[in-house]
Amino acid sequence: MLSLRLIRGGAPLTQLPRLLVAAAAGSVGFLLLCALSYALNHPGDAGVAVPRLLWCLVPLAATVQLAALVARTTPGPRTRAALDAVGLGATGLPLLAALQTAVFCLLGSALALLVYLHLRGDVVGLPFDGAAAELVAAGRPLPVVAALTLLLIVPLVAAGATALSLRATAARRAAHPQPPALDRAGPPLPLPVGLSYGTALIGVGIALETYAARGTGAPMPLPGAGTGPGPGVVTGWLLTALGLVLAGPGLTQLAGRLLAAARPGAMRFLAGRILQEEAPHIGAPLGVLCAAGCGLIAASHLYGPDRPLGPLTVLGGLVVVGCAVAGVCTAVAGSRANLAPARAALAQLGAPRELLRGAAALRVAAVLAVLTPVTWGVAQLAALPLT
C-alpha cells in the first residue's frame, strides 16, 4: 500500500523514468508473445523457435538494468532519508522499490497483452487488413497459461534484480561511508578492479568469436531474416558487451584522471575530481551505452539490402538503445542531485556559474574523448569475424 501511495503522490517528472521502464517492459513482453506466436505457427520448428525466444534475453537484460538503475536513483536522497526515519532501512527500502518496479512492469505487460490481442483480432476484429496476422498467429488458439507466464517474466526478474541491487548498494554505503567529492582532499582515487576484469573479458570475447568464426558450427537464426553467426561468435559478443559494462566505471574514472592531470586550473581540477567521484554511479550506464553502440555497429555488418530488418528486430534494437540512453540520463540526473550540496557550497564561496558550467562541459568532453574511440575500436574488432 505504501508503494502505491508513493507512486500516486510522486511528481510527474519523477514518474517519467518509471514510465520508461513500463514501456520497455511492455515491449519485451510483446517480443516474448511474438516468439510464442512463431512457435504456434511452426510447431515442428523448435530449432528456430527456441533461438528466437533466446534473442529476447538481450532486450530483457537492458530493461532489467534500467529498472534497477531507476530504483537506485529514485527516490532522491531527501526522500530516502525520510523513509529511513520512519523505519524503512536496509530491508524495507529494497522491498518497497521492488514492489514499485513490479507495478510498473506489470502495467507495461498488461499493455503489451492488450496490443497483442488487438493485433490478433480478439478485441474488435482483425486490424490493418490482417497485415500482422502471421506475426501474432491470428486464427490459432492462444495458450493462456504460456502467454501469462511469459508476461510475468519481466516483472519478476526486474523486481528481484532491483531488490538485490538496492541491498548491495545499501551494504556498500554502510561499509564505506564517504563525504562528498569536494569536501575530501587527497590523492586520486584508485581505479576500480572492474577495469581489469572488463578488459580481460573483452579480450576473451574477441578471441573466442575470432576462433569460433573459423569453425563449421550450426549458425543461429537472426531475429530478422537469414541465418546468423554460430553460438561461439554470439557468446564472444556477449562476453565483449559484459566486459564493456564492467570497464565503464574504470574508463570514466580514467577520463577524470586525465582531465585533472598536468597542473590543472580550477575548472579542470573541479571537473576531473567530480568525474572521478561519480564514476561508480555513471560508469556502468555509460558502459551499457558503449555495449549498445558496439551492437549497432555489429548489426550494420550483419544486415544489409539482402537482409532487411524486420519489425521485431527494430523493436528489440530500440528497446536496447533506448534503455541504454535512458539509463545514462537517469544516472546523470541522480549524480546531479548528489552534487547539489557541493554546488551550493561553491555558490556561497562566490564561485561564478560559468565555472560550474565549464566543468560540466569538460566532463562531457572527457568522457566522449575516452569512450568513443574505445567503443569504436572494440566494435571493429568484434565485427572482424563477420567480414
Side-chain angles (χ1 to χ4, degrees):
M1 185 60 69
L2 178 60
S3 61
L4 294 178
R5 286 181 178 272
L6 289 175
I7 292 173
R8 187 182 62 182
L13 190 60
T14 62
Q15 303 293 0
L16 179 60
R18 295 167 179 168
L19 292 177
L20 292 177
V21 172
S27 301
V28 176
F30 185 78
L31 290 174
L32 292 172
L33 291 176
C34 289
L36 175 63
S37 299
Y38 185 88
L40 294 176
N41 287 329
H42 307 83
D45 195 3
V48 178
V50 173
R52 288 175 71 95
L53 186 62
L54 292 178
W55 279 113
C56 297
L57 294 179
V58 178
L60 173 62
T63 302
V64 170
Q65 183 268 342
L66 177 61
L69 180 61
V70 169
R72 289 198 306 268
T73 307
T74 55
R78 296 179 61 182
T79 308
R80 191 179 298 111
L83 294 175
D84 286 336
V86 298
L88 291 175
T91 303
L93 280 177
L95 180 60
L96 181 65
L99 290 176
Q100 290 179 346
T101 301
V103 167
F104 279 94
C105 289
L106 284 173
L107 174 63
S109 297
L111 293 177
L113 181 61
L114 288 177
V115 172
Y116 180 76
L117 293 177
H118 176 66
L119 292 178
R120 282 176 54 88
D122 297 336
V123 181
V124 291
L126 201 62
F128 307 118
D129 297 329
E134 180 70 18
L135 192 66
V136 295
R140 293 182 178 273
L142 178 66
V144 179
V145 177
L148 293 179
T149 300
L150 290 176
L151 288 176
L152 287 176
I153 289 177
V154 182
L156 292 177
V157 175
T162 297
L164 292 177
S165 176
L166 285 183
R167 189 179 294 273
T169 302
R172 185 167 57 250
R173 286 175 178 172
H176 304 285
Q178 291 183 349
L182 302 182
D183 295 340
R184 184 175 69 252
L189 300 175
L191 291 176
V193 295
L195 180 59
S196 57
Y197 292 140
T199 305
L201 277 180
I202 292 173
V204 171
I206 293 176
L208 176 61
E209 64 183 73
T210 303
Y211 176 78
R214 301 177 181 178
T216 57
M220 294 182 63
L222 287 173
T227 57
V233 177
V234 175
T235 304
W237 285 347
L238 295 178
L239 290 177
T240 303
L242 181 59
L244 284 173
V245 175
L246 291 178
L251 292 174
T252 306
Q253 188 167 328
L254 182 61
R257 280 193 177 188
L258 295 176
L259 194 59
R263 295 184 179 181
M267 182 182 298
R268 197 151 59 88
F269 176 79
L270 180 64
R273 193 67 182 184
I274 291 178
L275 190 57
Q276 292 182 62
E277 183 68 23
E278 293 301 311
H281 307 291
I282 65 175
L286 287 173
V288 173
L289 184 60
C290 293
C294 287
L296 289 178
I297 295 176
S300 67
H301 287 81
L302 280 173
Y303 295 93
D306 55 337
R307 287 182 177 179
L309 293 174
L312 297 182
T313 307
V314 174
L315 178 59
L318 289 177
V319 170
V320 174
V321 176
C323 288
V325 174
V328 172
C329 295
T330 302
V332 170
S335 174
R336 182 177 177 83
N338 293 332
L339 293 174
R343 290 198 307 271
L346 287 174
Q348 291 178 357
L349 293 174
R353 292 186 177 181
E354 289 76 9
L355 176 65
L356 299 178
R357 293 174 182 173
L362 283 177
R363 293 199 300 271
V364 174
V367 168
L368 290 177
V370 172
L371 294 184
T372 300
V374 170
T375 303
W376 179 258
V378 172
Q380 293 300 321
L381 290 176
L384 282 178
L386 304 178
T387 58

